[in-house]
């Protein structure tokens, strides 16, 4: 946006240009829209105490979310009313280009939510992708800060409120099952086991402190409060854990036990009521495109074939004379490409990942105009959620920067963890991947909160996958095996295009999916099974990565061709990142505008 007034020089006397009133009116409308959208976001966040805590706020600090369908209906009605109010009050042609993007994205999100709303009861609240049994401890341990006695009391209140949440989730599971909507068989044992792990240790049994009790004790011990107050808080926490908290977990476990016998096997969403329409909706949501399942499937097959050729080249480079499938087996089984399955081995993995991120940070100014201010940490997934946590993932920093971005890696079995993938995964989940995009987005100014803290899977995961290859350009991969590890991650995402559509549209079985995955990747057996189960339980999401990456790569190639010597990788990356997460068609418009401006 320009200044409030524009000046031109005539005989050294400043006068207002004729364009000034239009600029002022536009700026006034832009500011009003920004304020409106931020209020709308705050109204939405007010419905979710857990989101407030994720953002670093302490409002509704003693409550957890409402997990009922009535809450979903209220949230949907709010967004619909907000969109209608925005359309009545603001006209896009009276806004600046940046403000028009915000207006358009708010409309887009309302339309997507409206289209998806009828499918909400087809989504399972407990699966191998997680459940409240894992999410609530993560919220309390990672995000619920205890700076005062009142904060500690709020923590205890949330332990008690867990009972209500579990009753609500259990009721949803039973209602779904009654309607013939039953999770796949693969979900039950991991979900049950993770829930039970939370109940291990004091005060549930005679062992050392449980994970939650240890966390609460550590936070209370650090408080500036009288010893008697601390003792009372610890006693109240023990009572909450052994009382309503455990009752809630018992209720959830009982629902898992009751529903499990009703599961007939492992099927894609084609087996659900209105499953084909549901899957089409999920593809649109995940890719922000209108690509069909068949188009995405074919794209995946082509990408798998292309990446296999790159892998063949590295196989020859290291002097391996067998087939590519035999090379995959070597990567999976060679002890020299493993870490010890010990705590020391896990610590070495984390140290190596931190080293990769340090190397990226040193090179980053050559590739980026602006770096995120938030810090980045590398952590192992906590023991009590290893069974349902994915292989690796990123947790965003708090809005105020007090909580760092966290790159989590699942080190449940080091025999299944490959050294060759360490650098590639760190590049994707940490730097220059999700941290450079998500933390940077949260630090943007002049855009509304729903854009700072929201996003689109194809953009975010596309950037993460793009970053794996960018790290190669940055010289982060030191050996051919490191580069092969990166390619094994790339083909992994190409396989996802094939398997997600295969499972949910072409009715592939779990065994068929695992066999295809293993034939085209060096990924470990444990990771393959975990991944395939994830695709069964999260329709469409797995397609976002490579669809997004290919679009970003295509846009970069377009800019390089158009600009020639004027192309600067730092400017391209700034163009991609400076507006935050965008649907892919809007991102393409931004890059086209950047190309046009640079050509002048």
């Amino acid at each position: 946006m320009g200044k409030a007034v524009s000046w031109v020089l005539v005989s050294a006397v400043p006068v207002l240009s004729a364009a000034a009133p239009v600029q002022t009116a536009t700026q006034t409308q832009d500011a009003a829209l920004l304020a409106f959208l931020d209020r709308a976001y705050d109204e939405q966040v007010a419905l979710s105490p857990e989101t407030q805590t994720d953002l670093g706020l302490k409002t509704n600090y003693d409550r957890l979310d409402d997990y009922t369908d009535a809450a979903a209906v209220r949230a949907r009605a709010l967004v619909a009313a907000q969109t209608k109010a925005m359309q009545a009050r603001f006209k896009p042609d009276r806004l600046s280009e940046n403000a028009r993007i915000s207006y358009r994205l708010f409309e887009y999100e309302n339309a997507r939510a409206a289209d998806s709303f009828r499918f909400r009861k087809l989504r399972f609240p407990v699966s191998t992708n997680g459940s409240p049994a894992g999410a609530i401890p993560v919220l309390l341990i990672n995000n619920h800060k205890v700076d005062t006695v009142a904060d500690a009391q709020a923590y205890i209140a949330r332990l008690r409120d867990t009972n209500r949440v579990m009753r609500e989730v259990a009721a949803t599971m039973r209602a779904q099952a009654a309607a013939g909507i039953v999770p796949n068989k693969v979900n039950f044992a991991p979900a049950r086991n993770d829930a039970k792990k939370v109940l291990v240790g004091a005060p549930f049994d005679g062992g050392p402190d449980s994970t939650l009790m240890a966390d609460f004790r550590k936070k209370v011990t650090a408080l500036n409060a009288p010893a008697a107050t601390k003792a009372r808080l610890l006693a109240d926490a023990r009572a909450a854990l052994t009382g309503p908290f455990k009752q809630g977990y018992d209720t959830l476990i009982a629902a898992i036990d009751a529903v499990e016998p009703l599961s007939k096997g492992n099927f894609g969403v084609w087996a659900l009521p209105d499953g084909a329409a549901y899957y089409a909706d999920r593809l649109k949501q995940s890719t922000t495109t209108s690509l069909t399942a068949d188009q995405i499937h074919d794209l995946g097959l082509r990408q798998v074939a292309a990446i296999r050729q790159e892998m063949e080249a590295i196989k020859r480079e290291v002097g391996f004379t067998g087939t590519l499938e035999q090379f995959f087996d070597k990567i999976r089984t060679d002890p020299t490409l493993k870490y010890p399955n010990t705590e020391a081995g896990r610590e070495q993995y984390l140290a190596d990942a931190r080293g990769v991120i340090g190397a990226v940070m040193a090179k980053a100014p050559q590739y980026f105009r602006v770096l995120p201010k938030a810090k980045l940490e590398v952590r192992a997934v906590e023991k009590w959620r290893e069974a349902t946590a994915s292989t690796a993932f990123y947790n965003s920093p708090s809005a105020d920067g007090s909580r760092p971005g966290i790159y989590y890696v699942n080190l449940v079995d080091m025999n299944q963890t490959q050294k060759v993938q360490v650098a590639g995964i760190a590049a994707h989940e940490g730097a220059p991947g999700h941290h450079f995009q998500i933390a940077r987005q949260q630090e943007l100014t002049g855009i509304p909160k729903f854009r700072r803290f929201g996003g689109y899977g194809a953009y975010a995961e596309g950037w993460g996958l793009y970053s794996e290859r960018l790290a190669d350009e940055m010289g982060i991969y030191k050996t051919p095996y490191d580069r092969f590890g990166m390619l094994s991650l790339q083909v992994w995402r190409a396989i996802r295009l094939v398997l997600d559509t295969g499972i949910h549209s072409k009715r592939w079985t779990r065994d068929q999916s695992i066999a295809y995955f293993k034939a085209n990747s060096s990924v470990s057996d444990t990771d393959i099974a975990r991944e395939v189960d994830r695709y069964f339980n999260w329709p469409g999401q797995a397609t976002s990565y490579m669809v997004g990456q290919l679009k970003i790569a295509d846009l970069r190639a377009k800019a390089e061709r158009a600009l020639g010597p004027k192309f600067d990788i730092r400017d391209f990356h700034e163009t991609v990142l400076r507006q935050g997460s965008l649907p892919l068609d809007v991102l393409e418009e931004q890059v086209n505008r950047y190309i046009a401006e640079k050509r002048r």
Side-chain angles (χ1 to χ4, degrees):
M1 291 182 284
K3 298 177 182 177
V5 292
S6 177
W7 298 93
V8 293
L9 191 63
V10 180
S11 302
V13 178
V15 297
L16 287 171
S17 75
V22 174
Q23 289 179 329
T24 302
T26 298
Q27 290 177 335
T28 300
Q29 285 291 292
D30 284 0
L33 178 65
L34 180 61
F36 175 90
L37 292 175
D38 278 351
R39 282 195 302 275
Y41 181 80
D42 290 343
E43 290 170 355
Q44 294 172 24
V45 168
L47 299 179
S48 172
E50 294 175 29
T51 301
Q52 293 162 42
T53 302
D54 290 341
L55 292 171
L57 306 173
K58 289 188 176 182
T59 47
N60 297 306
Y61 216 33
D62 59 346
R63 293 169 50 204
L64 297 170
D65 283 1
D66 184 334
Y67 283 71
T68 64
D69 187 61
V73 171
R74 285 195 298 273
R76 172 72 205 107
L78 175 62
V79 176
Q82 289 171 338
T83 305
K84 187 175 181 180
M86 180 187 73
Q87 292 167 333
R89 180 173 170 186
F90 299 97
K91 304 302 177 189
D93 59 0
R94 298 177 185 174
L95 299 168
S96 71
E97 176 60 31
N98 287 343
R100 281 199 296 273
I101 292 174
S102 296
Y103 182 104
R104 179 176 170 189
L105 293 184
F106 199 79
E107 280 190 323
Y108 174 87
E109 294 197 2
N110 174 64
R112 281 271 68 242
D115 289 345
S116 299
F117 193 63
R118 68 186 175 103
F119 303 113
R120 68 192 183 281
K121 294 184 179 180
L122 300 182
R123 298 166 195 160
F124 300 116
V126 173
S127 75
T128 58
N129 291 338
S131 82
I136 289 172
V138 169
L139 175 83
L140 290 170
I141 292 169
N142 287 349
N143 299 352
H144 189 114
K145 295 186 291 185
V146 175
D147 301 316
T148 66
V149 170
D151 294 344
Q153 292 168 333
Y155 191 118
I156 295 167
R158 279 180 155 166
L159 292 176
R160 297 191 188 103
D161 201 26
T162 300
N163 191 11
R164 171 190 57 80
V165 169
M166 297 307 182
R167 290 198 308 270
E168 291 171 354
V169 172
T172 296
M173 292 177 65
R174 292 175 185 272
Q176 285 180 316
I181 301 165
V182 180
N184 288 318
K185 280 189 176 296
V186 296
N187 289 294
F188 293 95
R192 181 188 297 106
N193 292 341
D194 270 9
K196 287 184 174 180
K197 285 179 184 177
V198 178
L199 305 179
V200 172
F204 307 110
D205 57 40
D209 278 348
S210 64
T211 305
L212 275 167
M213 192 68 211
D215 176 66
F216 188 73
R217 188 184 301 279
K218 179 181 178 181
K219 289 173 177 175
V220 167
T221 300
L223 275 178
N224 181 16
T229 300
K230 294 181 180 181
R232 186 180 70 251
L233 289 170
L234 292 171
D236 289 347
R238 284 192 292 270
L241 285 166
T242 56
F245 183 88
K246 184 176 185 300
Q247 291 166 14
Y249 272 68
D250 288 345
T251 297
L252 183 70
I253 292 167
I256 292 171
D257 291 344
V259 173
E260 182 173 19
L262 304 177
S263 181
K264 296 180 174 63
N266 300 303
F267 306 102
V269 296
W270 58 264
L272 294 174
D274 209 12
Y278 175 41
Y279 187 51
D281 176 80
R282 291 298 84 198
L283 289 179
K284 191 169 187 179
Q285 180 72 21
S286 296
T287 68
T288 68
T289 72
S290 57
L291 289 170
T292 66
D294 285 346
Q295 288 173 320
I296 293 171
H297 192 83
D298 291 344
L299 177 63
L301 292 172
R302 293 195 302 272
Q303 287 298 309
V304 168
I307 297 167
R308 282 179 66 101
Q309 291 304 307
E310 293 184 85
M311 290 174 144
E312 289 277 7
I314 291 184
K315 185 196 76 173
R316 292 191 295 271
E317 182 181 352
V318 300
F320 189 86
T321 56
T323 66
L324 186 57
E325 288 74 18
Q326 289 170 332
F327 193 55
F328 291 160
D329 285 336
K330 171 183 169 62
I331 298 294
R332 289 190 190 101
T333 61
D334 189 338
T336 66
L337 301 178
K338 306 272 187 198
Y339 291 91
N341 192 28
T342 62
E343 289 310 306
R346 291 176 176 85
E347 286 303 318
Q348 186 57 53
Y349 183 107
L350 297 174
D352 289 349
R354 291 173 186 130
V356 170
I357 287 169
V360 170
M361 292 298 186
K363 290 281 191 74
Q366 300 173 38
Y367 293 84
F368 295 89
R369 293 290 186 197
V370 181
L371 302 180
K373 299 185 181 90
K375 295 188 181 303
L376 174 62
E377 292 185 4
V378 182
R379 298 183 191 173
V381 167
E382 299 88 351
K383 298 293 184 187
W384 43 266
R385 59 170 176 151
E386 288 175 334
T388 54
S390 58
T391 303
F393 52 96
Y394 176 79
N395 273 17
S396 60
S398 59
D400 62 2
S402 62
R403 185 181 71 246
I406 303 169
Y407 153 39
Y408 272 109
V409 60
N410 194 336
L411 302 179
V412 61
D413 182 0
M414 300 305 290
N415 292 319
Q416 300 291 320
T417 301
Q418 298 177 6
K419 279 186 179 180
V420 300
Q421 292 180 347
V422 173
I425 293 175
H428 181 117
E429 302 295 345
H434 287 326
H435 188 64
F436 275 33
Q437 184 260 307
I438 295 171
R440 168 79 195 285
Q441 175 176 303
Q442 291 187 181
E443 295 164 5
L444 293 173
T445 58
I447 66 170
K449 293 177 185 177
F450 87 92
R451 291 178 58 191
R452 286 175 58 207
F453 302 117
Y456 307 93
Y459 174 97
E461 297 299 353
W463 174 262
L465 197 54
Y466 168 83
S467 295
E468 293 175 15
R469 288 195 181 264
L470 178 61
D472 195 16
E473 295 179 50
M474 297 172 75
I476 301 304
Y477 306 129
K478 302 303 183 185
T479 70
Y481 281 101
D482 289 340
R483 293 198 305 279
F484 187 87
M486 178 270 289
L487 290 175
S488 76
L489 298 173
Q490 294 278 308
V491 82
W492 185 339
R493 280 34 171 257
I495 288 168
R496 284 176 170 174
L497 299 180
V498 178
L499 293 191
D500 195 285
T501 52
I503 290 165
H504 297 294
S505 178
K506 298 181 182 298
R507 305 191 177 194
W508 284 24
T509 66
R510 184 171 183 267
D511 287 346
Q512 183 180 2
S513 301
I514 288 173
Y516 180 86
F517 204 140
K518 189 164 184 175
N520 288 287
S521 169
S522 63
V523 173
S524 70
D525 291 346
T526 296
D527 280 344
I528 287 174
R530 183 190 292 124
E531 281 287 302
V532 167
D533 292 345
R534 166 180 165 174
Y535 310 153
F536 270 95
N537 290 316
W538 202 352
Q541 192 273 343
T543 66
S544 61
Y545 299 75
M546 186 147 277
V547 170
Q549 180 209 26
L550 293 175
K551 173 57 74 172
I552 293 171
D554 286 348
L555 292 174
R556 175 173 163 179
K558 179 180 181 179
E560 288 172 336
R561 289 192 303 270
L563 298 179
K566 289 185 176 182
F567 179 84
D568 188 317
I569 190 63
R570 296 169 297 178
D571 293 334
F572 174 77
H573 288 155
E574 182 62 13
T575 299
V576 172
L577 297 173
R578 68 188 176 194
Q579 290 279 2
S581 189
L582 299 169
L584 296 183
D585 58 342
V586 182
L587 175 63
E588 183 167 9
E589 293 169 8
Q590 294 299 303
V591 173
N592 288 342
R593 186 172 293 108
Y594 147 73
I595 292 171
E597 290 171 354
K598 285 292 182 182
R599 274 176 152 173
R600 290 174 187 161

